[in-house]
Amino acid sequence: MKKFKLGYAPTRRFVFSAEDAFKYKVMIREKIESFGLDMDIVDLEGLNSEGLLYDDHINADQIAAHLKNAEVDAVFFPHCNFGTEDTVARVGKALGKPVLLWGPRDESPLEDGMRLRDTQCGLFATGKVLRRFNVPFTYVTNSRVDDPVFERGFTNFVAAANVVRQFRNLRILQIGPRPASFWTMMCNEGELLERFGIEIHPITLVDIQLATKRIEKGTSAELEEAMMYIKSKMDYSEVTEEDVRRIAALKVAMKQYARSTGSSAIAIQCWSSLQDAMGIMPCLANAILTDEQIPVTCETDIHGAITSVMVQAATMNTAPTFFADLTVRHPENQNGELLFHCGNFPVSLSVEDKPKLKKHFLFDSHAPGTHESQIKGGQMTLARFDGDHGEYQLFMGKARGIEGPFTRGSWVWVEVNDWPLWEEKLVKGPYVHHSVGIHANAIPALYEACQYIPGLTPDPVDPTEREIQAWLRGAGL
């Protein structure tokens, strides 16, 4: 995936200090570079002598064309003094990308009573004109360059914009139809395309079976690398060498299909036709690919695959997701719940040095291929993109790992703030029993991303919408 690109379009207005605006242009650029985000910055240098957006010396068309040609994913308009609101709005409208509005807090007036910047006043003006142009934007509280609230707001905006860019370019590889008895996994492929531009690329289980057989019989470097990974990371004593080779071949086949189709994630019919045809379960292959930032969801859960891409994008793709059933309540903790699936959680999340590669414990075939292990606890985000009747929502809430009884498969017990509230929200919908977890706080970025995705409503349970907004304004700093 290409690196995230941020358009940097600092702005000033002619009646205020050009020297001070230039000083802040440099200072702000240095500050955002210090945050350590994995992104490229596209500025306005070379378009005029100052590299600033102001008046009509460089017009909106030129600036927009410059940023479009650079293929920026979002644009930041720091107001280095009052700013030029009409040009900012025209550029924002022409780009159609997420927009960040912020300006550094003003100093005291000079001894003679003159003021150098009046930045806050300009922010009021630009916000109004952006609304007139129907340009959605993110606003960070007027604050000093070194204030923590600026870093929090800026980094969250970039993460939210990363969610938007990956959502807008989303293609899911669908391997097989949903299991017949899983009506919960129905989705409206046409509506996903029409509403959000999300594409589904379907292939059959026969396609993946033939590709796996071809790779299994060969001697490719990819196959050898996958086998070495399994043998080095897993306790595979309960399965055969042939099983390891076939599981590795399936992983390679799925990755090759994802690459060749330009798919960001995979939804696979993991039971029961696949094990009947190939003699293995895909769980470990799913786990390895998810660790490689190609999340794979079980039971052909298209909405789950969409959620997985959004959630990992909200962390700037720095952490793997895990795809879980919301399974049973904790036997003692009233706010505890079991997150489980047969064996698909990323290997990197295991609490064991050598998690076990086993045979499936539920199905009669007992086919090999499940990766069984408890995963680490700590703070997590749980989320679910889902919809019905033409309405789509994004559920999100925070959880933390807790102790609980042993079970089989991939699993972790978690505690939330008010499980009966969660349960009611999830049962009454439009959600199902599947969720996506990540060991990070992805909620503010997911919440902010929703305002740039028409037709998607954020549905936070903990923290609440008001608490998220307060956090973005600097609560707790």
Side-chain angles (χ1 to χ4, degrees):
M1 182 176 295
K2 292 189 295 184
K3 188 180 287 190
F4 183 91
K5 283 188 180 181
L6 177 72
Y8 182 64
T11 180
R12 73 169 179 87
R13 201 179 189 99
F14 71 96
V15 296
F16 296 94
S17 169
E19 293 77 17
D20 234 46
F22 186 88
K23 179 184 76 173
Y24 270 94
K25 177 199 79 167
V26 175
M27 191 186 310
I28 295 165
R29 169 73 181 260
E30 290 175 349
K31 190 62 177 177
I32 63 177
E33 287 178 337
S34 76
F35 295 154
L37 298 172
D38 186 22
M39 66 178 183
D40 291 329
I41 298 174
V42 180
D43 56 33
L44 305 184
E45 301 303 318
L47 293 183
N48 62 23
S49 61
E50 298 180 28
L52 283 156
L53 181 160
Y54 61 95
D55 302 331
D56 292 322
H57 291 83
I58 51 174
N59 63 41
D61 291 341
Q62 289 176 303
I63 300 168
H66 170 69
L67 296 176
K68 278 183 178 179
N69 290 338
E71 299 182 332
V72 300
D73 300 300
V75 61
F76 175 29
F77 294 105
H79 280 44
C80 298
N81 61 31
F82 189 99
T84 307
E85 70 266 24
D86 55 337
T87 308
V88 167
R90 289 191 184 101
V91 173
K93 182 73 170 181
L95 289 176
K97 302 289 185 178
V99 166
L100 177 60
L101 180 62
W102 171 83
R105 188 169 170 177
D106 297 279
E107 297 83 5
S108 295
L110 301 176
E111 288 186 3
D112 62 3
M114 297 299 291
R115 300 184 305 277
L116 295 176
R117 296 189 294 112
D118 275 18
T119 295
Q120 186 194 56
C121 191
L123 293 168
F124 292 136
T126 300
K128 177 63 172 179
V129 180
L130 286 169
R131 284 180 56 85
R132 291 287 194 195
F133 277 72
N134 296 309
V135 175
F137 64 94
T138 297
Y139 180 69
V140 175
T141 303
N142 179 226
S143 50
R144 295 185 173 86
V145 175
D146 291 326
D147 281 350
V149 68
F150 171 54
E151 180 175 359
R152 175 184 286 185
F154 179 86
T155 56
N156 192 73
F157 168 76
V158 171
N162 192 44
V163 174
V164 175
R165 74 146 175 164
Q166 295 193 38
F167 187 89
R168 288 179 175 175
N169 296 281
L170 191 50
R171 182 178 294 126
I172 306 296
L173 176 64
Q174 177 182 328
I175 304 177
R178 64 174 174 84
S181 59
F182 269 49
W183 286 46
T184 47
M185 295 302 103
M186 288 179 178
C187 77
N188 190 325
E189 179 181 347
E191 192 168 76
L192 289 173
L193 181 61
E194 294 161 3
R195 178 76 59 88
F196 303 116
I198 296 173
E199 300 177 13
I200 311 299
H201 186 97
I203 64 172
T204 69
L205 290 174
V206 173
D207 294 324
I208 203 70
Q209 179 187 17
L210 293 175
T212 301
K213 282 184 177 180
R214 173 180 52 78
I215 293 165
E216 184 183 1
K217 291 177 181 177
T219 57
S220 69
E222 268 193 293
L223 175 61
E224 293 302 317
E225 181 182 350
M227 292 176 64
M228 289 274 294
Y229 178 88
I230 294 171
K231 290 181 176 181
S232 65
K233 298 290 186 181
M234 311 290 297
D235 174 357
Y236 62 100
S237 58
E238 295 186 30
V239 303
T240 67
E241 286 279 339
E242 290 76 12
D243 294 331
V244 171
R245 187 177 188 86
R246 186 164 299 166
I247 293 164
L250 174 61
K251 178 264 177 182
V252 173
M254 292 166 68
K255 187 170 184 177
Q256 288 181 354
Y257 260 113
R259 285 191 305 219
S260 66
T261 61
S263 299
S264 303
I266 301 170
I268 186 170
Q269 188 203 106
C270 51
W271 60 273
S272 59
S273 297
L274 188 143
Q275 57 263 38
D276 292 341
M278 299 177 61
I280 57 171
M281 296 295 300
C283 306
L284 178 58
N286 298 353
I288 298 172
L289 285 168
T290 301
D291 245 337
E292 295 179 1
Q293 299 279 306
I294 304 175
V296 184
T297 56
C298 311
E299 292 143 358
T300 324
D301 186 350
I302 298 295
H303 288 173
I306 294 168
T307 313
S308 299
V309 171
M310 295 179 74
V311 169
Q312 69 181 16
T315 70
M316 297 299 290
N317 295 77
T318 57
T321 60
F322 61 96
F323 180 73
D325 274 354
L326 299 159
T327 312
V328 297
R329 296 184 69 174
H330 195 284
E332 298 171 357
N333 187 325
Q334 292 303 305
N335 290 316
E337 178 75 7
L338 175 64
L339 304 180
F340 154 89
H341 237 136
C342 305
N344 62 320
F345 292 2
V347 178
S348 66
L349 299 180
S350 174
V351 298
E352 301 178 34
D353 291 334
K354 287 268 191 174
K356 295 177 176 60
L357 172 53
K358 299 174 74 71
K359 297 180 180 180
H360 203 286
F361 55 94
L362 285 177
F363 300 126
D364 291 339
S365 66
H366 297 298
T370 60
H371 155 228
E372 295 201 29
S373 174
Q374 180 182 0
I375 63 167
K376 66 181 183 180
Q379 298 299 317
M380 309 173 201
T381 294
L382 300 180
R384 174 74 189 180
F385 168 95
D386 221 324
D388 52 37
H389 298 87
E391 297 180 357
Y392 290 84
Q393 296 179 195
L394 182 62
F395 175 92
M396 58 191 97
K398 63 183 180 182
R400 68 176 186 88
I402 57 172
E403 293 298 318
F406 171 78
T407 188
R408 296 289 303 271
S410 297
W411 58 278
V412 63
W413 291 94
V414 297
E415 181 181 47
V416 303
N417 66 323
D418 183 352
W419 177 255
L421 173 62
W422 283 56
E423 186 177 284
E424 181 177 349
K425 266 184 171 284
L426 292 165
V427 171
K428 295 184 78 170
Y431 310 109
V432 298
H433 61 291
H434 287 168
S435 66
V436 174
I438 198 163
H439 290 78
N441 180 15
I443 294 171
L446 291 170
Y447 173 82
E448 191 67 25
C450 287
Q451 76 160 319
Y452 297 105
I453 303 173
L456 179 59
T457 303
D459 186 19
V461 62
D462 179 34
T464 65
E465 189 164 16
R466 179 171 291 185
E467 289 169 337
I468 295 169
Q469 292 168 348
W471 184 89
L472 290 169
R473 290 192 297 267
L477 288 173

